[in-house]
């Protein structure tokens, strides 16, 4: 199977890795946060790659740049949620900080 245009992009690959990391570290968060903060951080992380993929399929570089800007905003949103997870002690700092440093 041939890769899609977005799958060839390193930035999309990194965003996909970010999403998987976020899902892994939030799996053990308190159940009462499943529909709150955990849901928010998972949605913001998955939004990063989704916007890159969608923008790459638009066919116009101006549209793609706009989707990349939206994606960048989702990265910052994800960082904020990860910091809150850390500060509320839902996730250990040693698990969160490598992810924050990479993005």
């Amino acid at each position: 199977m041939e890769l899609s245009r977005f799958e060839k992009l390193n930035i999309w690959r990194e965003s996909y890795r970010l999403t998987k990391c976020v899902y892994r570290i939030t799996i053990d968060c308190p159940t009462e946060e499943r529909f709150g903060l955990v849901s928010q951080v998972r949605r913001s992380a998955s939004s990063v790659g989704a916007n890159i993929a969608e923008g790459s399929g638009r066919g116009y570089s101006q549209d793609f740049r706009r989707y990349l800007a939206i994606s960048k905003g989702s990265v910052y949103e994800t960082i904020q949620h990860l910091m809150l997870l850390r500060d509320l002690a839902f996730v250990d700092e040693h698990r969160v900080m490598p992810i924050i440093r990479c993005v």
Side-chain angles (χ1 to χ4, degrees), residues 89-101:
F90 291 153
V91 177
D92 290 331
E93 183 168 3
H94 74 276
R95 294 183 74 196
V96 171
M97 291 313 295
I99 297 170
I100 291 173
R101 285 188 202 111

Side-chain angles (χ1 to χ4, degrees), residues 18-19 21-23 25-27 29 33-48 74-75 77-85 91 96 99:
L18 168 67
T19 303
C21 287
V22 166
Y23 269 77
I25 69 164
T26 57
I27 201 143
C29 285
E33 283 300 321
R34 185 176 306 137
F35 301 108
L37 185 55
V38 171
S39 175
Q40 285 289 102
V41 71
R42 287 178 172 184
R43 287 186 306 163
S44 65
S46 64
S47 177
V48 176
S74 294
V75 168
E77 180 183 357
T78 302
I79 290 170
Q80 190 274 331
H81 292 318
L82 289 171
M83 292 169 60
L84 187 55
L85 283 169
V91 177
V96 171
I99 297 170

Side-chain angles (χ1 to χ4, degrees), residues 41-74:
V41 71
R42 287 178 172 184
R43 287 186 306 163
S44 65
S46 64
S47 177
V48 176
N51 279 299
I52 294 168
E54 184 175 354
S56 74
R58 292 290 175 155
Y60 300 101
S61 60
Q62 187 175 8
D63 280 345
F64 187 43
R65 283 194 298 271
R66 185 167 54 89
Y67 277 87
L68 288 176
I70 294 167
S71 183
K72 184 178 179 181
S74 294

